[in-house]
Amino acid sequence: MRMTDSPHHRPLDARVMPRFAGIRTFMRAPHTTDLSDVDAAVYGIPFDTATSYRTGPRFGPEAIRSASALLRPYNPALGVNVVEALSIVDYGDVPVSPGDVERTYGQVEEALAALVGRGVFPLALGGDHSVTLAELRVLASRHGPLALVQLDAHGDTWDEYFGQRFFHGTTFKRAVEEGLIEPRASVQAGLRGSLYGAEDLDSARALGFAVLSCDQLRTLG
């Protein structure tokens, strides 16, 4: 990713066009699939048929885009105006196949490869947890095994669920098996809630992940 001297793509200015107006894109950035002069691209993965209980993440990209209309460009903690530093676009949603996890993986990988191959920083809006595997495949193919920081209630390191190896609860075990992430350089943080058994945590540790519960995070501050 490069930082441009004068960003080519910029969100609408809420002082000129009010936030409730205009087409809903992420942060009201321009929607384009032309990656010329683009530093960062936001894209949606509206897929949730690898969930086991509640569907709805397929509508996540739409909801996040709508809520992001309230984002302002300046981060006071970091002292950075994001839209002055980066040329940001909304790349739209990538194709998915409802009900077919592995075909959707292929579609996500093909779409994301176009961004990564151009050196564009990708920001995904999901989508259930299963889609992360497709993203890791593309990023690892360019950068090698990745260090993962996972903020989640569960570790998603089961071997299978309902007889399926590609599911929202198996994502990070598959990622380790495929050599996409380096677990000893990775952390799963914020784990909480009831589990099927202690093995739900033990399996993540056995793979090499550092595991921090939500209570441990509170203690660390």
Side-chain angles (χ1 to χ4, degrees), residues 25-179:
T25 60
F26 184 80
M27 205 177 174
R28 307 207 306 163
H31 170 233
T32 182
T33 56
D34 180 357
L35 296 175
S36 302
D37 300 316
V38 172
D39 296 313
V42 181
Y43 61 98
I45 309 177
F47 181 81
D48 65 6
T49 45
T51 57
S52 58
Y53 180 59
R54 181 183 293 122
T55 58
R58 68 184 65 182
F59 302 112
E62 175 188 355
I64 295 169
R65 286 184 173 106
S66 184
S68 74
L70 292 173
L71 288 175
R72 296 176 182 177
Y74 183 74
N75 184 315
L78 299 177
V80 173
N81 186 314
V82 177
V83 303
E84 293 290 345
L86 297 173
S87 178
I88 303 171
V89 302
D90 190 318
Y91 195 68
D93 289 344
V94 303
V96 299
S97 297
D100 193 329
V101 178
E102 293 184 68
R103 186 169 190 268
T104 294
Y105 282 173
Q107 292 172 296
V108 173
E109 289 168 36
E110 181 179 359
L112 181 54
L115 300 178
V116 174
R118 293 285 295 272
V120 174
F121 183 86
L123 175 61
L125 312 176
D128 69 46
H129 295 186
S130 69
V131 299
T132 309
L133 185 62
E135 298 174 271
L136 290 172
R137 285 173 175 171
V138 177
L139 293 169
S141 71
R142 182 175 179 87
H143 302 292
L146 305 166
L148 176 75
V149 177
Q150 179 188 352
L151 304 177
D152 203 336
H154 305 101
D156 298 343
T157 54
W158 291 334
D159 185 54
E160 62 176 34
Y161 201 50
F162 289 100
Q164 299 179 62
R165 289 173 54 78
F166 297 103
F167 212 65
H168 75 99
T170 66
T171 302
F172 298 107
K173 182 166 187 180
R174 297 289 91 81
V176 172
E177 291 173 343
E178 294 182 22

Side-chain angles (χ1 to χ4, degrees), residues 3-21:
M3 296 181 68
T4 55
D5 294 330
S6 179
H8 180 68
H9 297 289
R10 304 170 64 95
L12 293 174
D13 189 335
R15 295 166 297 184
V16 177
M17 176 71 77
R19 292 188 179 92
F20 52 78

